[in-house]
């Protein structure tokens, strides 16, 4: 396990709780933080501090002595610009300043919504034959939330180029206990693969700035090449086993079904042609 403690933001959230439990079980020393109280029993060797990502001084203090920051805190769904601004943009700046001060690596929980306005490959051809999207594709955020994730990836780019702060940007698809609709046969990331991804991102000797499609080994994935070899991560689970259960569950909304971002692409959509 890592030599220095690891700071986890968003610890009280869905993925934060999974990571806190899974990484503590590997013997890691964790510093947990969130604006909401931590709802579970505190894992061994972990400490929790309740704080707002808007508070840069608090973040600097929490990151003291840490070798990595797993940044999972913030607004995690589409919201108005003013709601996203503080936690996701200012908060991200505070995370990167803390990482710079400590010489820590950042794992940023980016999202498929940073590229959500790319069409799904199966909208243009039969599944499997259509080209999959490589990670160096254009950013095409599907709303204010997706824009904040695109900004986060770019901030990682800048802090690496300018200050040598390493960062692993994981474009998470859909990380839930199991897929619940047809889209998730493409985008699902299992909790096990998430924990293995965070582990690889922290333990890799070098990462530089890299971007990774964070979905399980799904045959129906929308996504192709990325930088996973840089950290030595390979997903082990697959959504395909759920096809019979959820493969028929589609929204009926043409915008939602056309774009990779799904329902987020259609929120407030007003384009007529
Ligand atoms: P979540 O909403 O359950 O957790 C986010 C946590 O951030 C919450 O506990 C919340 O209290 C905390 N938070 C919000 N504003 C804050 C602030 N101002 N200061 C401090 N903490 C604050 O979301 P979830 O599902 O756990 O996602 C974690 C991360 O992964 C998020 O950044 C999300 O955007 C990203 N992600 C998740 C996906 C998924 O499938 N669950 C897909 C793509 C990205």
């Amino acid at each position: 396990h890592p030599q220095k403690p690891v700071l986890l933001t968003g610890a009280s959230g869905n993925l934060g709780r999974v990571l806190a439990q899974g990484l503590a079980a590997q013997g890691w020393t964790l510093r947990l933080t969130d604006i909401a109280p931590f709802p579970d029993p505190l894992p061994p060797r972990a400490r929790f501090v309740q704080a707002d990502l808007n508070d840069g001084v608090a973040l600097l203090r929490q990151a003291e002595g840490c070798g990595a920051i797993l940044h999972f805190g913030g607004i995690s769904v589409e919201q108005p610009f003013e709601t996203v601004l503080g936690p996701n943009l200012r908060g991200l700046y505070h995370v990167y300043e803390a990482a710079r001060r400590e010489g820590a690596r950042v794992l940023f929980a980016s999202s498929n919504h940073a590229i959500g306005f790319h069409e799904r490959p199966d909208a243009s051809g039969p599944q499997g034959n259509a080209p999959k999207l490589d990670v160096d594709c254009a950013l095409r955020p599907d709303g204010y939330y997706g824009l904040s994730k695109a900004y986060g990836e770019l901030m990682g780019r800048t802090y690496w180029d300018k200050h040598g702060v390493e960062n692993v940007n994981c474009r998470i698809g859909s990380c839930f206990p199991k897929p619940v609709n047809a889209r998730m046969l493409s985008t699902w990331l299992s909790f096990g693969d998430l924990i293995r991804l965070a582990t690889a991102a922290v333990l890799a000797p070098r990462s530089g700035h890299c971007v990774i499609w964070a979905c399980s080994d799904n045959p129906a994935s929308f996504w192709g090449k990325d930088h996973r070899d840089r950290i030595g991560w390979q997903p082990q689970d697959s959504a395909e086993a759920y096809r019979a259960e959820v493969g028929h569950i589609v929204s009926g909304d043409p915008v939602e079904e056309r774009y990779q971002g799904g329902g987020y692409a259609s929120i407030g959509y007003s384009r007529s042609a």
Side-chain angles (χ1 to χ4, degrees), residues 47-105:
R47 142 192 135 182
F48 177 79
V49 175
Q50 198 167 347
D52 190 334
L53 286 163
N54 281 292
D55 184 346
V57 174
L59 235 121
L60 284 175
R61 210 178 291 130
Q62 290 155 32
E64 249 172 66
C66 289
I69 304 177
L70 310 181
H71 184 36
F72 282 73
I75 301 301
S76 62
V77 291
E78 182 62 354
Q79 290 285 341
F81 177 75
E82 290 294 340
T83 308
V84 171
L85 176 60
N88 287 26
L89 301 186
R90 191 174 293 113
L92 187 82
Y93 164 68
H94 293 151
V95 164
Y96 268 98
E97 277 300 291
R100 173 156 83 118
R101 159 95 77 88
E102 296 300 323
R105 181 181 297 167

Side-chain angles (χ1 to χ4, degrees), residues 9-17 33-36 51-54 71-77 86-88 108-113 145 149 170-176:
T9 72
S12 307
N14 292 314
L15 304 192
R17 291 168 67 192
T33 184
D34 201 292
I35 199 168
D52 190 334
L53 286 163
N54 281 292
H71 184 36
F72 282 73
I75 301 301
S76 62
V77 291
N88 287 26
F108 176 52
S110 185
S111 167
N112 69 88
H113 298 293
Y145 164 73
K149 296 302 188 182
C170 301
R171 286 186 189 156
I172 303 172
S174 311
C175 194
F176 293 91

